[in-house]
Amino acid sequence: MYATDAAGPVDPMTTQEVGPTGEGTSRRAFLAAGATVVAWSLVGSGWLTADTAHASSSRADVPRLDGTLEVGVPAGFDSDFGGFVRAEPWAVLRPGSTADIVAMITFARRHCISVAVNGQSGEPGVLESHSNYGQALTPGGIQIDARSFRTIEKVDATCAVVGAGATWGEVVDAALAVGSTVASLPDYLNLSVGGTISVGGIGGNVQRAGLQADMVRSVEVVTGAGRLVTATARRNSALFDAVLAGGGQVGVITKVELALVPAETTATMRSFYYDDIRRFLADQTLVMGTQRFDYQAGEIVRSADGTSWRFKMEVGSYHSTEHAPAVDDVLARLGDVAAERQEFSLPYRDWAFRLAPLMPGLLAGGYWTQRKPWLSLLVPSDKVESFLATVLPDLTADDLGAGFCLLSPIDPARVRAPLFALQGGADGTAFFFDLLAFPHPTTDPAAIDAMLERNRRLYDALVALGGKRYIIGAIPRMTARDWERHWGRSTYAAFKRLKRAYDPRSILTPGQGFFG
């Protein structure tokens, strides 16, 4: 999909600085960051401020807003977490109300201006938009700052109603205050709720509870036609299904109702190490099939001498009793290196926020701002060994840097969001391969470019094996044909029809490039 302006199409996936040409470009050269927009120039296709509006004889005034529409591109809205794509928007909307989003999407539709939500969740200095290759960017368009609607509106024992810009960490703390939690959480809690459910949401609870998108009871959405709609699995169900894991194509999520479950007080975690990949994969599938653990994750790790790769499985039980539920019968069936088993317990909240202590080191070491060629893939279980035979011989510790590589099982039967593409193997299951690289700040830029190209090669190899991708990763040159193959012809055609119905001018979230 392309954003359009008076100068023609703008490629949303270019790795160069992107911006429209003509009158708008020269104007932006002297607009101060944070300057408030008052109108849109119908001649030069650019924003006008109070200082410049008098110079335009043909303009469309911006609707009166409770928040602000700013030009000058505040930091963080011209690139994403991956750092590969720079796409300067013409303005950033900081909505003061849902009505602001309705008004600006209606305005943007009328003037063919692209719009996307930029999560930028977290705290100053550690913001993350959870996209790694321009998926949330709008070259020459409008970015909506999700932090403007990060409210916690209601929390009781069974549900939470939150603004889409709220982080999972904020939701967890609010839920714990009433003795509840969300059954499926991302591993890193400083992500926005709306952004995560827009892509599906994978974490260590997915094996038992499903995706974060599967925790949603209802969503409030402003469609690309400018309509405010509440959708559930029964009411406006087509919209509901298109919003969850739909990559922001049919509407802007403003409010989410999440299902909650009782929270336990303690997390007991157990770690198991393997040198035999076949046994590692078999044990991961076995453990998932027992449905006896609340958390499960696999990881590819370095050997003690640093010369090779080996494997780690981590499982967790949440409990409020003195001891974790007995699982000795399951553990007796595992084929790990028994002498290396580890076990520890900690408060549930500490476990939920376990990645927070890593942030200061990543910031201080310069890793957070480095380009990050993350690769997130979904591999049929019977193709994992073949796929890893392509990956591991060339994967080095320096490729990971301060990051890590997950390899965890997923049962497609636990995933309910229709647009989350997932293909199981002969046994019906799949594995989530998540190469979360944080390259060293001293890494040669050419080496990072090579990692990005390797992502494309590995993706193509996986597609040949019947695998899929998770839509947050950094894979260059995705085409509409790639996406049609990703979903399958019939699902893709249905998705395209929903796009036309709910976003008739195709203004929403051009960075995904789903439809060419």
Side-chain angles (χ1 to χ4, degrees):
M1 181 187 309
Y2 292 91
T4 58
D5 62 19
V10 180
D11 185 349
M13 305 314 290
T14 178
T15 55
Q16 304 297 318
E17 185 73 23
V18 178
T21 59
E23 179 186 342
T25 301
S26 61
R27 183 181 299 110
R28 284 195 317 280
F30 63 83
L31 285 174
T36 300
V37 168
V38 299
W40 172 258
S41 171
L42 299 177
V43 177
S45 294
W47 297 113
L48 304 173
T49 66
D51 292 335
T52 58
H54 67 277
S56 176
S57 59
S58 180
R59 72 186 205 190
D61 289 342
V62 168
R64 180 173 295 181
L65 301 173
D66 297 314
T68 60
L69 185 67
E70 302 172 5
V71 290
V73 192
F77 290 92
D78 60 348
S79 62
D80 60 15
F81 189 61
F84 287 97
V85 179
R86 301 189 68 83
E88 182 180 341
W90 278 348
V92 173
L93 173 65
R94 303 187 192 279
S97 63
T98 302
D100 283 359
I101 299 174
V102 171
M104 284 312 304
I105 286 181
T106 300
F107 186 88
R109 177 190 176 194
R110 185 176 304 127
H111 299 290
C112 295
I113 305 167
S114 61
V115 180
V117 177
N118 192 322
Q120 292 293 326
S121 56
E123 303 300 330
V126 287
L127 299 180
E128 181 181 344
S129 62
H130 207 48
S131 73
N132 288 81
Y133 204 68
Q135 293 97 331
L137 300 183
T138 49
I142 299 171
Q143 295 270 278
I144 299 176
D145 183 359
R147 287 178 294 170
S148 299
F149 46 110
R150 59 188 297 179
T151 54
I152 305 292
E153 295 193 8
K154 170 193 170 185
V155 180
D156 61 30
T158 61
C159 77
V161 178
V162 304
T167 67
W168 290 99
E170 291 165 340
V171 172
V172 167
D173 276 337
L176 286 176
V178 298
S180 297
T181 189
V182 184
S184 181
L185 290 168
D187 296 320
Y188 178 58
L189 298 187
N190 256 359
L191 301 173
S192 70
V193 171
T196 309
I197 66 173
S198 291
V199 296
I202 299 177
N205 311 120
V206 67
Q207 294 83 4
R208 188 166 187 176
L211 304 170
Q212 278 92 70
D214 296 326
M215 304 299 100
V216 177
R217 289 182 173 179
S218 69
V219 287
E220 181 185 84
V221 182
V222 181
T223 71
R227 293 182 58 235
L228 179 63
V229 182
T230 296
T232 72
R234 294 186 176 182
R235 182 160 57 104
N236 299 310
S237 59
L239 179 61
F240 184 75
D241 288 344
V243 165
L244 302 180
Q249 294 303 300
V250 296
V252 169
I253 303 170
T254 55
K255 189 184 300 185
V256 181
E257 181 185 6
L258 296 165
L260 300 182
V261 297
E264 307 293 353
T265 61
T266 305
T268 292
M269 312 307 299
R270 297 178 173 92
S271 299
F272 309 88
Y273 291 87
Y274 294 80
D275 295 310
D276 181 344
I277 183 174
R278 189 164 296 175
R279 191 57 192 264
F280 167 71
L281 296 173
D283 282 1
Q284 285 241 66
T285 303
L286 182 156
V287 166
M288 180 174 66
T290 68
Q291 289 292 293
R292 299 273 291 280
F293 297 93
D294 300 296
Y295 172 91
Q296 181 179 353
E299 187 177 355
I300 300 172
V301 297
R302 295 300 281 176
S303 60
D305 62 8
T307 61
S308 62
W309 296 105
R310 64 193 308 231
F311 310 94
K312 173 186 176 182
M313 175 172 65
E314 188 170 46
V315 298
S317 300
Y318 304 153
H319 56 100
S320 298
T321 53
E322 182 179 357
H323 301 290
V327 290
D328 290 349
D329 58 322
V330 178
L331 304 189
R333 300 166 63 186
L334 302 183
D336 59 306
V337 180
E340 298 184 22
R341 290 185 177 183
Q342 300 170 352
E343 180 177 328
F344 64 92
S345 298
L346 71 172
Y348 171 80
R349 186 188 184 279
D350 290 356
W351 169 252
F353 285 85
R354 62 194 174 279
L355 294 185
L358 301 179
M359 296 305 109
L362 292 172
L363 285 167
Y367 292 96
W368 197 259
T369 54
Q370 172 66 289
R371 290 186 298 166
K372 294 168 281 293
W374 285 11
L375 179 64
S376 302
L377 302 174
L378 297 152
V379 189
S381 56
D382 53 0
K383 305 297 184 182
V384 176
E385 286 190 65
S386 298
F387 177 70
L388 291 182
T390 303
V391 175
L392 294 184
D394 297 326
L395 186 67
T396 69
D398 283 341
D399 288 339
L400 292 184
F404 41 92
C405 186
L406 302 179
L407 186 64
S408 305
I410 294 182
D411 181 358
R414 296 279 167 179
V415 173
R416 297 179 291 281
L419 284 178
F420 190 85
L422 180 59
Q423 180 64 50
D427 65 354
T429 65
F431 276 78
F432 179 45
F433 173 84
D434 205 17
L435 180 56
L436 303 177
F438 278 90
H440 300 300
T442 55
T443 302
D444 185 340
I448 299 180
D449 291 337
M451 294 178 198
L452 183 66
E453 289 303 315
R454 179 179 62 192
N455 285 0
R456 181 70 214 200
R457 291 195 301 274
L458 291 176
Y459 171 68
D460 289 337
L462 177 64
V463 169
L465 295 173
K468 306 291 183 180
R469 63 167 294 186
Y470 187 33
I471 63 176
I472 68 167
I475 299 176
R477 299 182 299 281
M478 289 291 292
T479 66
R481 179 70 186 96
D482 288 327
W483 288 115
E484 182 179 30
R485 184 169 48 185
H486 170 79
W487 277 294
R489 184 171 297 176
S490 60
T491 299
Y492 183 77
F495 192 14
K496 200 170 186 178
R497 288 193 295 271
L498 289 169
K499 174 71 170 175
R500 287 196 296 266
Y502 291 108
D503 181 22
R505 299 295 293 273
S506 290
I507 63 170
L508 295 179
T509 319
Q512 288 283 11
F514 289 157
F515 304 108

